[in-house]
Amino acid sequence: MDENIRYMFHPRSIAIIGASNKLWKVGHAVIANVLYGDCLRRDRHLGYKGKIYPVNPNEDVIFNLPAYPSILAIPDEVDLAVIAVPARAVPGVIEECGKKGVKAAIIISAGFGETGEEGRRVEEAMVKTARGYGMRILGPNCLGIYSLYEDLNTTFARAMPARGPISFISQSGAFCASVIQYSLEEHFGFSNFVSIGNKSDIDDADIIEYYATDENTKCVAMYIEALKNARKFLKVAREVCKKMPIVALKSGRTEIGRNAAKSHTGSIAGNDIAYEAMFRQTGIYRARTMSELFDAARALAYQPPPSLDGGIAIVTNSGGPGVVATDAASDLGLPLAKLSEQTINELNRVCPPEWSHRNPVDILGDASPDRYAESIRVLLEAKEVSGLIVITAPQAMTDPETLAKRIVEAARGTHKPVIASFVGMISSPAENYVETQGIPEMSFPEDAVFGMHALVHRARILRREEIWQE
Amino acid sequence: MDENIRYMFHPRSIAIIGASNKLWKVGHAVIANVLYGDCLRRDRHLGYKGKIYPVNPNEDVIFNLPAYPSILAIPDEVDLAVIAVPARAVPGVIEECGKKGVKAAIIISAGFGETGEEGRRVEEAMVKTARGYGMRILGPNCLGIYSLYEDLNTTFARAMPARGPISFISQSGAFCASVIQYSLEEHFGFSNFVSIGNKSDIDDADIIEYYATDENTKCVAMYIEALKNARKFLKVAREVCKKMPIVALKSGRTEIGRNAAKSHTGSIAGNDIAYEAMFRQTGIYRARTMSELFDAARALAYQPPPSLDGGIAIVTNSGGPGVVATDAASDLGLPLAKLSEQTINELNRVCPPEWSHRNPVDILGDASPDRYAESIRVLLEAKEVSGLIVITAPQAMTDPETLAKRIVEAARGTHKPVIASFVGMISSPAENYVETQGIPEMSFPEDAVFGMHALVHRARILRREEIWQE
């Protein structure tokens, strides 16, 4: 791994080239984000704690910090440069960054390879310059990065995701803003967040190689339109997958999708069959939609993979959603647990006689928080159960928040994965509580099943590795 | 159509048999719901405005209404009886309802056909009794019904959905509560809502036959585990589909799902291939997941089917979600519009030169509400465009609420379908505004594409009918 990339995520000092006092300039949003974490909440100093050097020849002071006419004028070492100046000025800035000994430069500015042949040439020349100085480049044409455990937001987006175990790479900048919004509403968090842009130098392989070394990262999630160097990626991803799960949404799956991708990032999306083969070979879990990407990432980041010896149990207070979940499990080939006689006897002790006596475990419409908690404990202790999906439909007789608390208590300390679905609830306190306690919650049972399937897939990949090593 | 079923949805008077002053009794929740609409919000008299007769031999007054010892003691005609007494008392009550000349009885009580052979015999005997009196039975073992335009809630669920154009049938009672919760958060509404229970007498076919005559209903949505009389359903659904769209989630698609369904409602789910054929023959749009069911229903209820002469356009401020939507469209065989030279010229007038110049119409990350509005107008006026998907990713420079207002304005008055996706947003004011203005909004682009596909399917069904009539 290139240590320069580690410096990009953990810089001791940052120069923001193009920082500005002018509202609505990209360089204004960037420096505000670096300083405050979230540029719209300047009441809080929750931003980056290292040294910050604004660079702008037309300003003396920016946000109470002295502004420098060029990076070369900064009387200190600079680890990271974030560049938000017009495209024509970027090559000169890169030359100066190189001279200054900058370790990595994030070029936010657009107007390079994505515009055609001429832009591509300028981009290549910049990379050559940077290489001469041993400097790495992220972008151009990107939103920037978040390094959440450094409280570092180098983007011009308006929101800050929460800290958490997912590290993300996106080839679409706009996608990032959507994902952050979604993560805040669904209560999941990130360690790192990279808008990868044109990949002139640093590419997906470089980033995931770093993620694999990051102690806060439990799962890598990727939005890919096209890989630039598939062979390099294959080799690196193969190694990363041994250490941590990767889930990827590769768009341009279809021919018209590929044409749209070409128009978007100028990248040739390539034959989907080749991508499919690569995902299988490396062990990357493939999502087919945006919601699948995050259902899988949340499961993989917050829950352990199940043992492959047992099957998944579904506990529910309502038959319909249980049947729907069973269909989804069958579609995905998710192994369902066959309850042992012992488990059935123990459930008989905690449930009324009408309970389903099989998996899905329907503990009936009047199931109290206590009955849920006791049934969950029985199932998590059962040998034949390797993971649990907890489905609850709202009931007039049950307070959802009490139920949420009892579910979390009952699942505490288990080494088996647990995923919940408070069916039809989108943003209730009950749901939020479960999510903030580390149990992924999905609004519909099928999505919970998908999340569990990602975990079973992970267990299979780990088993494959073991066999290969024997 | 049986007029008795119309009376069930539009009764002039209701007897609640088993009404109770005792909190947490089912009959208590039912009478509170009938009176107040939502039993938990008794500050408001938003319930049923017709005559209400509580029946309970052990009470004199229930909720300030005189209670009668039996339905026969009520000095007035009774159109609808809602029955929430222990199972063993139900057959006697049915006999009395018949004598009283009740037109329809909703049996909420459980403990009949779903429990086995003996229960099934009791159920059949009750239906025979009812038939002798010309009375219809809904249930037993159901949650009840909502007739929203009568402000009538005969269920024991804790929430009241909003009025709107969808009429729903569910074979799972618990499913109903989830669906209501979801509808309230996603701002769609219902005309009628039926938990169909054991279908001892009134079945899915009877209900959809009534829905087809209901002026408020624009779309029928169904959750089915198994049909009892498939031939009757086929015949009725075939006719209903000529008048309005039906979308159905049939669970027990898979073998293990079928076993789970059998355990849940005691019904034999039957071969899925036969159901698939029936859906195709009747023109029912099949959803495969809970979220698909409501994505399709919302589209079909709130938007018109597109002309089949053109294709669908996608307008977006971000390439990634545009590519993802294009993949989804291709998966479903959704026809995408090829922009004419005239349309491209008009978009050139309202967009910067870097716009994508093709469909998906990427109007760029800095797209203002004005640019959205102008592009939407151009696309909705273009001959080659038969429907529009509006995708927006959050942008620091754009206020989402202003954007939402401009999108709604620009789409006003068109006869072409419009579906929106505020990507990643789950419950923001912008999204809520668009939804309350009748434009279905989905959190992810793929779901918006699915909704549009349901509309194209509807257009194809209508075209098929035309051809058959020629």
Side-chain angles (χ1 to χ4, degrees), chain B residues 135-336:
Chain B
M135 180 174 80
R136 301 301 300 267
I137 288 177
L138 181 76
N141 186 25
C142 72
L143 194 75
I145 70 164
Y146 293 86
S147 176
L148 280 308
Y149 287 87
E150 293 282 359
D151 298 316
L152 177 57
N153 174 3
T154 75
T155 76
F156 57 99
R158 68 199 288 173
M160 183 83 168
R163 284 183 180 180
I166 301 173
S167 278
F168 185 53
I169 304 176
S170 176
Q171 195 166 352
S172 163
F175 208 98
C176 297
S178 297
V179 167
I180 291 170
Q181 180 72 30
Y182 184 60
S183 72
L184 293 170
E185 299 200 42
E186 292 287 1
H187 304 94
F188 59 94
F190 295 90
S191 315
N192 305 285
F193 203 108
V194 168
S195 158
I196 198 139
N198 289 3
K199 315 189 202 182
S200 65
D201 172 29
I202 295 176
D203 62 10
D204 306 86
D206 295 317
I207 300 290
I208 63 171
E209 194 174 33
Y210 164 72
Y211 284 168
T213 70
D214 176 38
E215 58 177 1
N216 296 307
T217 302
K218 301 278 173 282
C219 170
V220 176
M222 310 183 68
Y223 171 71
I224 306 170
E225 291 189 359
L227 293 170
K228 270 201 162 169
N229 185 340
R231 188 168 300 182
K232 176 181 167 195
F233 182 80
L234 179 79
K235 190 161 161 274
V236 174
R238 183 79 189 75
E239 288 307 308
V240 173
C241 276
K242 290 179 191 169
K243 297 183 65 178
M244 60 176 64
I246 304 178
V247 52
L249 172 61
K250 161 73 181 69
S251 71
R253 279 186 291 109
T254 62
E255 198 187 328
I256 53 169
R258 272 196 290 285
N259 290 336
K262 194 174 167 188
S263 159
H264 172 218
T265 48
S267 47
I268 314 296
N271 188 323
D272 195 66
I273 295 170
Y275 278 99
E276 186 68 34
M278 187 195 64
F279 290 141
R280 283 176 189 271
Q281 207 179 330
T282 52
I284 293 175
Y285 190 69
R286 184 172 197 176
R288 294 192 172 259
T289 64
M290 283 186 69
S291 58
E292 281 188 4
L293 177 64
F294 290 99
D295 289 345
R298 289 164 67 195
L300 289 163
Y302 285 93
Q303 292 289 315
S307 150
L308 291 175
D309 296 334
I312 305 303
I314 298 167
V315 61
T316 177
N317 64 348
S318 61
V323 179
V324 161
T326 308
D327 272 339
S330 182
D331 286 341
L332 292 167
L334 188 77
L336 292 182

Side-chain angles (χ1 to χ4, degrees), chain A residues 24-26 29 39-40 156-158 172 174-175 177-179 181-183 185-186 223 225 249-264 288-291 294 317-324 326-331 334 336 356-360 362 392-400 422-428 431 443-447, chain B residues 24-26 29 39-40 156-158 172 174-175 177-179 181-183 185-186 223 225 249-264 288-291 294 317-324 326-331 334 336 356-360 362 392-400 422-428 431 443-447:
Chain A
W24 299 130
K25 278 224 162 194
V26 168
C39 62
L40 292 185
F156 57 99
R158 68 199 287 173
S172 164
F175 208 97
S178 297
V179 167
Q181 180 72 31
Y182 184 61
S183 73
E185 298 200 41
E186 293 287 0
Y223 171 71
E225 291 189 359
L249 172 60
K250 160 74 180 69
S251 72
R253 279 186 291 110
T254 62
E255 197 186 327
I256 53 170
R258 272 195 290 284
N259 289 336
K262 193 173 166 186
S263 159
H264 173 219
R288 295 193 171 259
T289 64
M290 282 186 71
S291 57
F294 290 99
N317 64 349
S318 61
V323 179
V324 160
T326 308
D327 273 339
S330 181
D331 285 342
L334 188 77
L336 292 181
S356 64
H357 288 76
R358 48 173 296 156
N359 187 18
D362 185 347
T392 79
Q395 294 294 336
M397 287 78 174
T398 312
D399 170 50
F422 280 67
V423 187
M425 292 194 184
I426 299 177
S427 55
S428 69
E431 212 200 341
S443 296
F444 291 111
E446 297 95 336
D447 304 320
Chain B
W24 300 130
K25 279 225 159 194
V26 168
C39 61
L40 293 186
F156 57 99
R158 68 199 288 173
S172 163
F175 208 98
S178 297
V179 167
Q181 180 72 30
Y182 184 60
S183 72
E185 299 200 42
E186 292 287 1
Y223 171 71
E225 291 189 359
L249 172 61
K250 161 73 181 69
S251 71
R253 279 186 291 109
T254 62
E255 198 187 328
I256 53 169
R258 272 196 290 285
N259 290 336
K262 194 174 167 188
S263 159
H264 172 218
R288 294 192 172 259
T289 64
M290 283 186 69
S291 58
F294 290 99
N317 64 348
S318 61
V323 179
V324 161
T326 308
D327 272 339
S330 182
D331 286 341
L334 188 77
L336 292 182
S356 64
H357 287 76
R358 48 174 293 156
N359 187 16
D362 184 346
T392 79
Q395 295 292 338
M397 287 77 172
T398 312
D399 172 49
F422 280 65
V423 186
M425 292 195 185
I426 299 177
S427 55
S428 68
E431 215 200 339
S443 297
F444 291 112
E446 297 95 335
D447 303 321

Side-chain angles (χ1 to χ4, degrees), chain A residues 1-254:
Chain A
M1 221 222 50
D2 185 344
E3 282 302 312
N4 283 346
I5 290 178
R6 188 183 308 281
Y7 277 113
M8 181 169 82
F9 289 98
H10 301 285
R12 294 162 301 182
S13 55
I14 303 178
I16 295 142
I17 303 170
S20 172
N21 284 314
K22 288 189 190 124
L23 211 67
W24 299 130
K25 278 224 162 194
V26 168
H28 180 86
V30 172
I31 190 163
N33 273 331
V34 171
L35 273 165
Y36 300 100
D38 180 341
C39 62
L40 292 185
R41 301 198 56 186
R42 297 186 188 170
D43 51 322
R44 313 170 312 166
H45 272 273
L46 295 182
Y48 174 67
K49 305 299 182 299
K51 292 179 218 154
I52 303 169
Y53 300 106
V55 174
N56 187 329
N58 305 315
E59 311 260 10
D60 292 324
V61 173
I62 298 174
F63 283 98
N64 291 325
L65 294 169
Y68 295 86
S70 103
I71 192 168
L72 293 170
I74 296 172
D76 185 17
E77 278 187 73
V78 175
D79 285 343
L80 174 63
V82 183
I83 301 168
V85 298
R88 65 181 180 285
V90 176
V93 166
I94 286 293
E95 180 73 47
E96 290 181 344
C97 287
K99 277 194 194 140
K100 180 69 186 171
V102 163
K103 300 188 190 302
I106 299 174
I107 307 177
I108 289 176
S109 322
F112 296 92
E114 79 281 10
T115 62
E117 200 43 56
E118 172 56 22
R120 207 149 26 234
R121 266 198 298 273
V122 176
E123 206 174 282
E124 279 165 20
M126 289 194 300
V127 172
K128 210 175 154 196
T129 305
R131 293 237 164 100
Y133 290 107
M135 179 174 79
R136 302 299 301 264
I137 289 177
L138 182 75
N141 186 28
C142 73
L143 195 74
I145 70 164
Y146 293 87
S147 175
L148 279 310
Y149 287 86
E150 294 281 0
D151 298 317
L152 176 58
N153 175 2
T154 74
T155 76
F156 57 99
R158 68 199 287 173
M160 182 85 169
R163 283 183 180 181
I166 301 173
S167 278
F168 186 53
I169 304 177
S170 176
Q171 195 166 354
S172 164
F175 208 97
C176 295
S178 297
V179 167
I180 293 171
Q181 180 72 31
Y182 184 61
S183 73
L184 292 171
E185 298 200 41
E186 293 287 0
H187 304 94
F188 59 94
F190 295 89
S191 316
N192 305 285
F193 203 108
V194 167
S195 159
I196 197 137
N198 290 2
K199 313 189 203 184
S200 66
D201 171 30
I202 294 176
D203 62 11
D204 304 87
D206 295 316
I207 300 289
I208 63 172
E209 195 174 31
Y210 164 70
Y211 285 168
T213 70
D214 176 39
E215 59 177 1
N216 296 306
T217 302
K218 300 277 172 286
C219 171
V220 176
M222 310 182 68
Y223 171 71
I224 305 170
E225 291 189 359
L227 293 171
K228 271 202 162 168
N229 185 340
R231 189 168 299 184
K232 175 182 168 194
F233 183 79
L234 179 79
K235 190 161 161 279
V236 174
R238 183 79 188 75
E239 288 306 308
V240 172
C241 275
K242 291 179 190 169
K243 298 183 65 176
M244 61 175 64
I246 303 178
V247 51
L249 172 60
K250 160 74 180 69
S251 72
R253 279 186 291 110
T254 62

Side-chain angles (χ1 to χ4, degrees), chain A residues 406-419:
Chain A
R406 300 305 306 276
I407 291 173
V408 168
E409 271 167 36
R412 197 160 284 154
T414 181
H415 59 281
K416 299 177 181 179
V418 177
I419 296 183

